Amino acid sequence: MEKLLEVKNLEVSFFTYGGEVHAVRGVSFDLNRGESVAIVGESGCGKSVTAQAIMRLIPSPPGVIKSGSIVFDGREITALTDRQMEKIRGAEMGMIFQDPMTSLNPTMTVERQISEGLIKHQGLSAREARSRALEMLSLAGIPRPEERMSQFPHQFSGGMRQRVMIAIALACSPKLLIADEPTTALDVTIQAQIIDLMKDLQSKLNTSIILITHDLGVVAGLANRVVVMYAGQVVESGSAERLFANPQHPYTWGLLRAVPRMDRDIREELHNIPGTPPDLFAPPPGCPFAPRCGYAMKICHRERPEVTSLGDGHQVSCWLQHPLAPATLSPVNGGAINGGK
């Protein structure tokens, strides 16, 4: 498949009064045309910062892309000026932010907020932009779109506001849609509707999607591939099917074991990951998950593990994959992991 986006060794830091926050540390992944990739992990692991770096929305100061490469549709965008990026954002890249109430402009009608990008990026007249805005609201599942066009964000429910955000992000038929926790503030019924809507629009528009989330249930319903991040680094990545069936990193085990399952005894307690993420003012020299990992060895605290390829695009950064590591069984499926053989 043809690659739309390639992120290589991305490093993003924020320089604050307390020192340098190493928010993203050597992140690499790619995205094919028409594909969905989910980036998952705890709050503060660097998911949203990675997305903002791709959109070139890192506030500077204090943030800066220190190094790395972001190639979008054959262009290296880290070297583009703000004016050049303005032509890409909205037209070729769209973004759905976490909270639609604070992302939408409360003083502008929904019609105007959708039409702005169409007039700017596609040169449509006001009449043409209105027609396209009406079409997008209808595609996004807004009932009575002709009537709702003239309304303001506060007149919509949370789920409807999120649909408006999707309509705005997809109005110019972008090649890439970044959805930053699009279902966080919604109840489970509305979450399912939003995910079904995104899948439907993706199939109609052939849009590639990066989904930022901590909800593995949402990931299972939408993503083709999964990138697991911890403390600003990618610790495991692979196809959603393979990663859910045969996870290889202890952090991924912890995330999956914390999800309620219908095939478990309802009296069984949910697993939790003890401890807290490391201080990114002074990241640890070894594996960042080592202080919280029940399988950590001495080397885990001293040196960062290399990336191990397990085939079919499945990769993991863990010392348990080393041939000299002790044999270990996965607590998720009981299978032996690839190290220690």
Side-chain angles (χ1 to χ4, degrees):
M1 297 180 67
E2 184 183 359
K3 291 182 180 180
L4 175 67
L5 177 72
E6 294 180 84
V7 178
K8 295 182 180 178
N9 300 318
L10 181 65
E11 302 260 354
V12 180
S13 287
F14 292 89
F15 292 89
T16 71
Y17 66 91
E20 179 182 356
V21 179
H22 303 266
V24 175
R25 305 185 292 143
V27 165
S28 297
F29 68 93
D30 54 56
L31 175 69
N32 297 320
R33 294 185 186 274
E35 185 183 35
S36 298
V37 169
I39 303 179
V40 303
E42 293 173 281
S43 296
C45 72
K47 306 185 302 292
S48 294
V49 174
T50 299
Q52 290 168 5
I54 294 171
M55 292 287 290
R56 290 284 305 278
L57 291 175
I58 299 292
S60 179
V64 61
I65 298 177
K66 293 181 63 179
S67 62
S69 170
I70 303 173
V71 178
F72 173 71
D73 199 20
R75 290 167 292 179
E76 175 57 65
I77 64 173
T78 57
L80 297 183
T81 64
D82 290 341
R83 185 176 294 274
Q84 289 171 320
M85 279 303 302
E86 286 178 5
K87 296 179 180 179
I88 295 177
R89 283 194 295 263
E92 298 182 54
M93 293 182 181
M95 190 163 185
I96 304 171
F97 295 94
Q98 289 189 33
D99 185 359
M101 194 62 216
T102 57
S103 301
L104 294 170
N105 190 325
T107 67
M108 294 169 57
T109 64
V110 164
E111 175 190 349
R112 185 177 173 190
Q113 295 190 58
I114 300 175
S115 299
E116 270 192 333
L118 293 165
I119 294 171
K120 177 178 180 179
H121 295 295
Q122 297 189 348
L124 302 187
S125 66
R127 182 186 297 272
E128 291 171 330
R130 175 180 171 77
S131 176
R132 175 64 173 167
L134 184 62
E135 178 187 353
M136 290 308 303
L137 284 181
S138 180
L139 278 174
I142 301 290
R144 307 186 312 278
E146 299 91 345
E147 176 186 335
R148 307 306 295 268
M149 289 259 286
S150 60
Q151 294 182 341
F152 293 86
H154 73 271
Q155 296 174 281
F156 290 76
S157 66
M160 288 295 115
R161 283 196 291 267
Q162 197 62 283
R163 290 173 184 268
V164 171
M165 285 292 300
I166 293 173
I168 293 172
L170 292 175
C172 294
S173 299
K175 300 171 184 175
L176 171 64
L177 174 66
I178 300 177
D180 189 357
E181 309 230 17
T183 61
T184 296
L186 307 177
D187 63 60
V188 290
T189 303
I190 303 301
Q191 283 184 16
Q193 293 175 4
I194 294 297
I195 293 303
D196 287 342
L197 171 63
M198 291 176 64
K199 290 169 67 176
D200 183 52
L201 291 176
Q202 181 185 28
S203 65
K204 291 178 179 177
L205 303 174
N206 195 36
T207 301
S208 300
I209 295 177
I210 294 178
L211 174 66
I212 311 293
T213 185
H214 60 268
D215 189 335
L216 293 177
V218 172
V219 172
L222 181 65
N224 304 117
R225 288 191 294 119
V226 182
V227 176
V228 181
M229 286 187 66
Y230 183 78
Q233 298 178 350
V234 174
V235 296
E236 187 169 6
S237 62
S239 69
E241 181 180 2
R242 180 157 177 165
L243 191 135
F244 277 99
N246 189 29
Q248 294 285 304
H249 197 284
Y251 180 60
T252 312
W253 298 343
L255 293 178
L256 289 172
R257 293 176 68 197
V259 177
R261 288 176 50 168
M262 297 298 292
D263 58 351
R264 285 178 177 164
D265 188 328
I266 59 173
R267 294 168 296 182
E268 180 182 344
E269 291 187 7
L270 286 177
H271 174 76
N272 70 297
I273 303 175
T276 58
D279 181 4
L280 293 184
F281 279 107
C287 173
F289 189 61
R292 306 174 69 186
C293 180
Y295 304 88
M297 301 170 286
K298 288 183 179 180
I299 194 170
C300 299
H301 297 273
R302 296 199 306 260
E303 295 185 32
R304 181 176 173 179
E306 296 182 355
V307 176
T308 301
S309 178
L310 306 176
D312 294 330
H314 192 175
Q315 296 182 325
V316 62
S317 296
C318 181
W319 281 112
L320 291 177
Q321 300 294 328
H322 195 278
L324 297 179
T328 307
L329 297 180
S330 166
V332 174
N333 58 16
I337 67 170
N338 289 350
K341 292 185 178 179

